[in-house]
Amino acid sequence: MRRKVMKIYVGCALKGAPKKFVKFVAEVKKNLAERNKGKLVVLEFLGLGVGSDADVYRVDIGNVMKCDFFIAFIDNASTGLGIELGEMMRGREIPFLILGNYRRKHNRMATGAVKNRKERGCFAEYTSMENAVRIIEGFARVHPLLKKFKYT
């Protein structure tokens, strides 16, 4: 049986987030794509300053609804990321990983979601870009719902 390529979506705060953080998330996505070419594809959010508000909602929620694995960086407050997580929790039975920097306090709603969906999700603290990528790759290798992909 031929395994399909895993589609991942990485959500995070954009508006109001420090430029350093936005660059960090972009580097994580690029690193994941380069290290796992042919095994996974990173779905892209629309981003700031591109398209209308309706376009942003349509594209970003569309990515949430078609991804196989959802990753959320919760280092900065984000209504948009909260909406994405809510849509994923209500509308999808897919694995998810919530990541937060080890130096920060984390939103209890996000960490509580993991505690209520242990079979699907995990919360982890990362220390660096390389560490975040290793956490994501490790989760993708061992989660039972992701065994059907080339990645595992």
Side-chain angles (χ1 to χ4, degrees), residues 33-50:
E34 287 173 355
R35 287 171 51 134
N36 299 286
K37 203 168 233 156
K39 296 178 183 178
L40 64 79
V41 61
V42 178
L43 303 173
E44 293 294 335
F45 45 70
L46 206 50
L48 296 174
V50 180

Side-chain angles (χ1 to χ4, degrees), residues 50-68:
V50 180
S52 68
D53 295 353
D55 293 335
V56 170
Y57 181 85
R58 184 181 41 75
V59 169
D60 293 1
I61 295 302
N63 284 336
V64 169
M65 300 312 280
K66 68 182 173 189
C67 72
D68 302 304

Side-chain angles (χ1 to χ4, degrees), residues 6-147:
M6 183 188 314
K7 294 182 293 253
I8 66 169
Y9 181 68
V10 180
C12 68
L14 290 176
K15 194 171 190 176
K19 288 180 182 175
K20 184 177 179 180
F21 171 75
V22 175
K23 184 179 178 185
F24 166 82
V25 173
E27 289 174 8
V28 168
K29 290 168 31 176
K30 181 181 175 189
N31 196 299
L32 276 170
E34 287 173 355
R35 287 171 51 134
N36 299 286
K37 203 168 233 156
K39 296 178 183 178
L40 64 79
V41 61
V42 178
L43 303 173
E44 293 294 335
F45 45 70
L46 206 50
L48 296 174
V50 180
S52 68
D53 295 353
D55 293 335
V56 170
Y57 181 85
R58 184 181 41 75
V59 169
D60 293 1
I61 295 302
N63 284 336
V64 169
M65 300 312 280
K66 68 182 173 189
C67 72
D68 302 304
F69 176 24
F70 184 94
I71 301 157
F73 281 91
I74 62 166
D75 298 344
N76 299 282
S78 171
T79 302
L81 180 59
I83 291 169
E84 290 173 348
L85 280 165
E87 290 289 328
M88 184 270 303
M89 292 287 186
R90 283 190 10 247
R92 307 289 315 279
E93 290 295 324
I94 61 170
F96 65 95
L97 178 60
I98 297 177
L99 293 170
N101 186 286
Y102 77 103
R103 291 187 180 136
R104 306 214 37 174
K105 291 188 180 203
H106 306 293
N107 181 291
R108 292 178 61 206
M109 183 68 81
T111 57
V114 170
K115 292 180 180 177
N116 284 289
R117 305 284 180 127
K118 289 179 187 171
E119 72 286 353
R120 288 181 32 218
C122 181
F123 170 75
E125 292 182 317
Y126 67 88
T127 58
S128 66
M129 190 269 294
E130 294 82 14
N131 178 243
V133 170
R134 282 194 306 273
I135 291 168
I136 294 165
E137 290 174 337
F139 183 87
R141 276 190 202 96
V142 301
H143 198 283
L145 294 175
L146 297 174
K147 293 289 183 193

